[in-house]
Amino acid sequence: MARTATAPGAPTTKLGTTAAELDDRLVISGWLRRTMNKVYPDHWSFLLGEIALYSFIVLLLSGTYLTLFFDASMREVAYAGSYAPLRGVEMSAAYDSALRLSFDVRGGLFMRQLHHWAALLFVSSIVVHLLRIFFTGAFRRPRETNWTIGVVMLVLALLMGVTGYSLPDDLLSGTGLRIISAILLSIPVVGTWVHFAIFNGPYVGESIIGRFYIAHVLLIPAILLALIALHLIILVKQKHTQFPGPGRTEHNVVGNRLFPTFAAKATGLVFLVFGVSAALGGLVQINPIWLWGPYNPAQVSSASQPDWYIGFLDGSTRLFPAWDMNLPGNYTIPALFWPTVVIAGAMFTVLALYPVIERKLTGDTASHHLLQRPRDVPVRTALGAMALTFYTVLWISGGNDVIALKFDISLNAMTWVGRIGMIVLPPIAYVIAYRICLGLQQHDREVLEHGIETGVIRRLPNGEFIEVHQPLGPVDEHGHGELAYGGAPVPKKMNQIGGARRAIRGFFSPTENPAQVELEQRAEDRGLAAAEGDRELTSSGRPSEGGRPSDGGRPQEPRD
Amino acid sequence: MSTTNPQSDPPLPDSGSALGTPVARALARRRSKLRRRWANVAGLLVALVLTGAAYSMFAPAQAAGSSNTESSAEAAGRALYEKTCISCHGANLDGVPRRGPSLIGVGEASVYFQVHTGRMPLARQEAEAQRKPPVFTDTQIDQLMAYVQAHGGGPTLPSGDLRDGDLAQGGELFRLNCASCHNFVGEGGALSSGKYAPNLKNATDLDIYTAMLTGPENMPVFGDNQLTPNEKRAVINYVQTIKAQADPGGAGIGRIGPVSEGLVIWVVGIGVMLFGIFWMGSKA
């Protein structure tokens, strides 16, 4: 076949011509190349946020299925579905359709459970992601905006949860709505008006399910989607942070390109998130609304709890004393106002403003792209530990009646443990975390100065016993290491620097024969030089400064 | 239920004499001990005695009749009572202050519930009597029931099919009357200061019925005016149906809702995810 002449560099394959045609029309190749070449750091903790992203996708998909069958209406109906213990009971159409969805729609119960588990996973992974960002200092300039967006998304995720679990109008969620109504009413001055604006009346009433429904399926997800997009665009624009290490500087990102390595990883993670949500949805029962019964304001059950992420507010309410403030003029601020509106408001405000607060306190206004190890910023780490302890005490107190019952403890004792604990434990956690950070710092410096403990004990002629240390790099005339600490992990065991043979590969079980590896390494020159190639060593990012074990020579005795 | 019976009627002629001399001697001892205190309230006492005497004259026949002839079951029951119950419930079933309430008028239903679930005799005085294997055999429980029933009467055991009630109505009644302490599904709940509403896992039909009828410990009495026998049967039907029902959604994780769900998502969900990304990290 005679070919027509093509311009040099023009595509010849079918795929190539298609791509060229597409680029002719959409002018996409430049953007695509930049995107596909984007570098993602390798560290596992950079995938935490993606768990949240993918569980959000699970939520969108499963939630769409649920909307096909759910009827967000408070119309009174008598149940006539297949769940016998409720047949004939008067209930709202919302609860009725949620029951039908569970028992009479193919795959309905699975989808409901999948959706609910994915929601719990969504919020949990956001929290874990936030902790990673916090403790490594990834929120510092220039990333304060993304931190704030993240906190807003966390609050929106909580709102998603609240509006979502209120929808089935069962006895548990109805109790929750009643509590939300009480919280709103407790706000001074504007409380009543806010309550009327949200519930359209002085009681929880009948408008709320329809309103929450549209908020849950349209408004909040749309805002969340927009914020997620913004979060990611800013992330791409600002590029990833990374942990310090050899070759990693403030001006580069070391890792894998989006395509193919990172794309493969991300795909794997998508399947993992889908798999975990589906496995939980299929195997573990969540929110069995048919056991709770329809909502009736006259009824309430013991052990009525919100989902875990609202539990801390339940806890703070349980711990706070019943201090109603009676002001002149027959005006009362109910005790409920402080533990729910004030404490929660303060917690999220401090969280959102933390980057600003830290900048003010430290005076550090420079741009940072290298992360910090939590031990290197003991104050922040200790503050984080303190906040976590406070949160955990509130959180545990949210379930204190269940804990009291299951572990045979007095509920009053649980309440007092919580009251005292929320004040006493956070400072203790601060001190302990701070000391641990200092201790870890000190150990890093010690290893850099004196070398790794080899475990070899030598007896000197005068009878003294010393342990032989392996310096990490060149040493001065006293035998002290000259390496500076660069913010990266310091090897602390001999086999981390190839002193023993290198570690056998394989995550679940060894994929290599240890003896073979041993032999291979013996064949090489002492094993040290060979192993150090794939080891991360301490440096400030400039390899010339970092030493290598082979430079350091043989294990040396301290010569002080 | 109050722990002290209004110092019931030492001078009353009817039941005291039937109990024989040791009881009379004990009463005499107590009288002498408490004489000084009683002198202060003598006026009140006279009024009480007069009321009691008047009551005993107009009281239903079986209350008076039981004191004269004691069946063999009652005698056996009394022997058991005097061996194991008397230290807290008193010589004349009239209770001991700060130890045990009077049993006059509690009825056989109460005895059945307390003894059959092993709550009585108590292991020790504590916030809540624990359910444990019963100390007495069924025959012995019948004898104790006969003895207590013979002294003051009270609620009796029901008969017939105790699950003969409407399931859905039972659910509504359960959520309205029981769930506030016993939880939606009868998992139980904590009360103040170490007291608790027990879970209904091991409760038999008759246990639940007699508990509603007699209101043990902190539980209110659901007499036949509050819940008719039919409604009680409906509640029992609901509780037992829910208990036996499989969890269609998979593992029930205690059926206590968000607390165990939160535990599962953090331990299993986040646990597996962290393991997964760790694994991916190591594959890099």
Side-chain angles (χ1 to χ4, degrees):
Chain A
M1 193 196 284
R3 265 200 190 158
T4 46
T6 50
T12 49
T13 61
K14 215 166 214 172
L15 188 67
T17 45
T18 315
E21 297 280 325
L22 270 178
D23 189 42
D24 274 351
R25 287 162 181 78
L26 302 175
V27 199
I28 201 175
S29 66
W31 175 82
L32 203 59
R33 172 169 310 189
R34 278 199 305 278
T35 309
M36 300 230 288
N37 281 342
K38 179 175 164 43
V39 172
Y40 286 80
D42 281 335
H43 198 265
W44 60 269
S45 68
F46 286 83
L47 294 172
L48 288 169
E50 266 160 75
I51 300 176
L53 177 64
Y54 301 142
S55 43
F56 187 68
I57 294 171
V58 178
L59 284 170
L60 287 181
L61 296 177
S62 57
T64 307
Y65 185 80
L66 298 181
T67 59
L68 303 181
F69 304 98
F70 179 70
D71 176 11
S73 149
M74 293 294 275
R75 184 166 40 86
E76 283 279 307
V77 294
Y79 181 67
S82 55
Y83 182 67
L86 285 174
R87 217 168 283 155
V89 174
E90 290 275 315
M91 56 183 64
S92 63
Y95 185 61
D96 180 68
S97 64
L99 283 178
R100 283 175 195 276
L101 176 61
S102 304
F103 290 110
D104 302 310
V105 172
R106 191 174 297 278
L109 180 58
F110 168 70
M111 276 300 188
R112 244 198 69 221
Q113 300 201 138
L114 168 72
H115 190 71
H116 204 141
W117 280 120
L120 296 194
L121 185 62
F122 180 54
V123 188
S124 315
S125 52
I126 291 179
V127 169
V128 180
H129 174 57
L130 179 140
L131 292 178
R132 204 281 288 173
I133 301 295
F134 178 84
F135 283 112
T136 57
F139 55 81
R140 291 172 300 166
R141 182 190 165 102
R143 294 182 177 76
E144 308 99 320
T145 324
N146 243 5
W147 167 269
T148 316
I149 292 174
V151 174
V152 172
M153 285 200 287
L154 172 62
V155 175
L156 286 177
L158 301 192
L159 281 180
M160 275 300 260
V162 170
T163 50
Y165 71 58
S166 298
L167 289 183
D169 195 36
D170 56 290
L171 186 49
L172 183 59
S173 68
T175 306
L177 273 177
R178 182 70 194 81
I179 296 171
I180 293 171
S181 143
I183 292 173
L184 291 177
L185 281 176
S186 78
I187 304 173
V189 186
V190 296
T192 319
W193 306 103
V194 173
H195 186 281
F196 266 75
I198 291 178
F199 289 99
N200 197 22
Y203 301 107
V204 172
E206 299 197 336
S207 313
I208 192 64
I209 296 291
R211 292 182 173 189
F212 270 19
Y213 183 64
I214 204 65
H216 183 76
V217 303
L218 179 68
L219 297 182
I220 309 179
I223 302 173
L224 258 181
L225 259 180
L227 287 180
I228 289 174
L230 193 60
H231 202 65
L232 293 182
I233 289 171
I234 295 178
L235 167 92
V236 171
K237 199 81 195 153
Q238 294 181 334
K239 299 198 170 54
H240 270 85
T241 54
Q242 60 182 345
F243 283 103
R248 300 177 184 185
T249 70
E250 291 279 4
H251 309 291
N252 67 5
V253 182
V254 178
N256 287 303
R257 293 199 187 282
L258 173 66
F259 195 83
T261 317
F262 188 77
K265 263 192 187 185
T267 315
L269 192 56
V270 169
F271 285 124
L272 193 62
V273 172
F274 272 60
V276 168
S277 311
L280 283 172
L283 298 174
V284 188
Q285 180 163 293
I286 187 167
N287 199 20
I289 49 166
W290 56 92
L291 292 176
W292 307 155
Y295 182 58
N296 176 340
Q299 302 170 353
V300 67
S301 167
S302 69
S304 287
Q305 255 95 14
D307 276 349
W308 77 259
Y309 40 83
I310 306 291
F312 76 100
L313 282 181
D314 202 332
S316 64
T317 309
R318 288 168 191 225
L319 297 186
F320 198 80
W323 289 340
D324 283 346
M325 281 173 69
N326 292 306
L327 302 179
N330 196 18
Y331 196 84
T332 302
I333 301 178
L336 186 61
F337 175 64
W338 308 105
T340 52
V341 182
V342 174
I343 289 189
M347 282 167 74
F348 282 105
T349 310
V350 171
L351 190 65
L353 294 182
Y354 185 80
V356 183
I357 298 172
E358 189 183 293
R359 212 167 47 203
K360 281 268 181 307
L361 290 181
T362 58
D364 178 6
T365 53
S367 271
H368 295 280
H369 301 285
L370 282 176
L371 296 174
Q372 291 165 307
R373 301 175 82 198
R375 68 186 63 178
D376 294 334
V377 206
V379 174
R380 182 202 296 144
T381 308
L383 282 175
M386 186 161 137
L388 265 185
T389 312
F390 181 73
Y391 180 88
T392 310
V393 172
L394 295 190
W395 190 25
I396 289 175
S397 299
N400 63 5
D401 55 338
V402 173
I403 295 171
L405 180 69
K406 298 288 173 193
F407 293 97
D408 228 346
I409 305 167
S410 158
L411 182 56
N412 301 43
M414 281 295 296
T415 305
W416 278 103
V417 165
R419 281 177 178 171
I420 297 171
M422 72 184 276
I423 294 168
V424 171
L425 291 182
I428 295 178
Y430 182 96
V431 173
I432 292 176
Y434 192 85
R435 298 312 306 183
I436 289 177
C437 286
L438 292 194
L440 289 171
Q441 275 188 22
Q442 220 156 23
H443 192 230
D444 283 346
R445 304 306 191 276
E446 188 186 307
V447 171
L448 286 173
E449 194 169 330
H450 293 128
I452 297 173
E453 296 170 353
T454 58
V456 177
I457 308 289
R458 183 164 298 168
R459 189 177 180 189
L460 301 183
N462 62 8
E464 183 190 354
F465 288 97
I466 55 155
E467 181 175 7
V468 181
H469 284 64
Q470 163 68 53
L472 290 173
V475 293
D476 61 16
E477 66 273 23
H478 300 295
H480 288 156
E482 289 169 344
L483 283 178
Y485 179 70
V490 176
K492 296 198 173 160
K493 287 184 182 143
M494 281 304 282
N495 53 355
Q496 284 172 321
I497 55 163
R501 59 154 168 69
R502 69 170 168 79
I504 301 296
R505 293 204 171 90
F507 191 78
F508 291 107
S509 54
T511 54
E512 301 173 310
N513 181 4
Q516 192 67 36
V517 176
E518 185 87 49
L519 284 176
E520 266 172 32
Q521 291 211 312
R522 280 211 192 132
E524 289 161 17
D525 176 33
R526 281 182 52 242
L528 268 177
E532 71 197 9
D534 54 340
R535 288 288 150 203
E536 285 179 9
L537 282 175
T538 307
S539 75
S540 57
R542 274 167 288 176
S544 58
E545 214 177 79
R548 289 165 179 273
S550 47
D551 302 336
R554 298 174 172 283
Q556 303 212 358
E557 294 153 24
R559 277 177 293 175
D560 268 344
Chain B
M1 198 173 288
S2 72
T3 50
T4 49
N5 208 36
Q7 290 305 328
S8 58
D9 45 34
L12 267 187
D14 61 341
S15 58
S17 61
L19 287 176
T21 48
V23 177
R25 272 207 303 276
L27 282 173
R29 260 204 313 279
R30 242 172 63 189
R31 263 205 307 277
S32 69
K33 209 185 275 177
L34 298 173
R35 182 168 296 142
R36 194 153 38 91
R37 206 173 64 186
W38 284 21
N40 296 333
V41 289
L44 181 61
L45 195 65
V46 170
L48 281 173
V49 168
L50 284 177
T51 316
Y55 175 77
S56 71
M57 263 185 277
F58 297 111
Q62 86 271 12
S66 65
S67 60
N68 298 327
T69 55
E70 189 175 59
S71 70
S72 60
E74 286 166 39
R78 177 152 49 127
L80 289 171
Y81 179 88
E82 285 173 355
K83 229 178 349 185
T84 46
C85 320
I86 199 165
S87 57
C88 297
H89 291 296
N92 203 14
L93 291 170
D94 51 1
V96 175
R98 302 165 60 82
R99 268 202 235 161
S102 161
L103 298 184
I104 293 169
V106 300
E108 62 174 18
S110 179
V111 178
Y112 176 84
F113 176 82
Q114 297 287 356
V115 181
H116 186 260
T117 62
R119 290 186 164 82
M120 292 292 147
L122 274 180
R124 58 179 174 273
Q125 294 279 355
E126 56 184 332
E128 185 83 23
Q130 312 271 351
R131 187 185 182 106
K132 52 185 185 291
V135 172
F136 297 109
T137 63
D138 284 355
T139 332
Q140 290 174 317
I141 295 175
D142 284 344
Q143 292 163 348
L144 277 171
M145 282 158 58
Y147 174 65
V148 173
Q149 186 70 22
H151 294 85
T156 53
L157 292 192
S159 57
D161 182 6
L162 294 183
R163 298 193 191 183
D164 183 21
D166 183 56
L167 189 57
Q169 186 203 13
E172 279 296 280
L173 290 170
F174 184 83
R175 287 189 288 275
L176 192 60
N177 295 293
C178 320
S180 55
C181 299
H182 287 286
N183 172 276
F184 305 101
V185 287
E187 275 298 322
L191 304 175
S192 59
S193 305
K195 291 176 284 205
Y196 61 85
N199 77 37
L200 306 178
K201 215 174 290 166
N202 298 317
T204 64
D205 296 354
L206 198 51
D207 287 350
I208 302 174
Y209 197 104
T210 50
M212 287 192 275
L213 207 52
T214 63
E217 305 197 51
N218 294 285
M219 183 165 161
V221 172
F222 293 93
D224 287 348
N225 292 333
Q226 282 88 38
L227 287 178
T228 65
N230 259 341
E231 290 173 336
K232 287 198 182 76
R233 284 163 214 253
V235 169
I236 293 171
N237 189 12
Y238 181 75
V239 171
Q240 305 292 30
T241 307
I242 291 290
K243 260 161 58 179
Q245 177 182 298
D247 285 317
I253 50 172
R255 290 184 172 181
I256 50 167
V259 173
S260 49
E261 289 158 12
L263 203 62
V264 168
I265 199 64
W266 277 98
V267 174
V268 180
I270 290 293
V272 171
M273 293 315 309
L274 287 183
F275 186 81
I277 57 177
F278 230 88
W279 182 29
M280 284 182 184
S282 82
K283 290 277 165 200

